Amino acid sequence: MKPPSMNPLTRALYHSSNGDRWFLARDRSSGDVFIIHEPNASSGGQTSRCEIGAFLARGGQNPEHKELLRLIATLVEDSPDA
């Protein structure tokens, strides 16, 4: 197993009103896809990485979860192949 790259490709997923940010990310070397959470500065927390299945399993009704599901749904929107 390759170690995660230090600079993954990211796409902003959701920014909360309190300053927390979530990103959809892909490791440049392995191709693994995951979620990065950057907590707001006042929380003192550290940036964390979470596999997509675990992320969705822990709260599918939060705005950041809904946004990931909306993004996934765009992959199968009405298209000629549908």
Side-chain angles (χ1 to χ4, degrees), residues 1-20:
M1 175 192 278
K2 294 180 181 177
S5 63
M6 298 305 286
N7 188 19
L9 298 169
T10 62
R11 177 175 176 166
L13 192 59
Y14 182 75
H15 295 156
S16 71
S17 60
N18 74 354
D20 283 6

Side-chain angles (χ1 to χ4, degrees), residues 1-10 21-39 45-56 58:
M1 175 192 278
K2 294 180 181 177
S5 63
M6 298 305 286
N7 188 19
L9 298 169
T10 62
R21 302 185 314 166
W22 288 264
F23 299 88
L24 181 60
R26 183 169 57 90
D27 185 283
R28 293 173 188 263
S29 60
S30 71
D32 291 345
V33 179
F34 50 94
I35 301 296
I36 295 174
H37 175 228
E38 292 181 352
Q46 294 188 358
T47 299
S48 62
R49 172 182 165 158
C50 182
E51 299 306 319
I52 290 178
F55 175 77
L56 289 172
R58 66 177 180 216

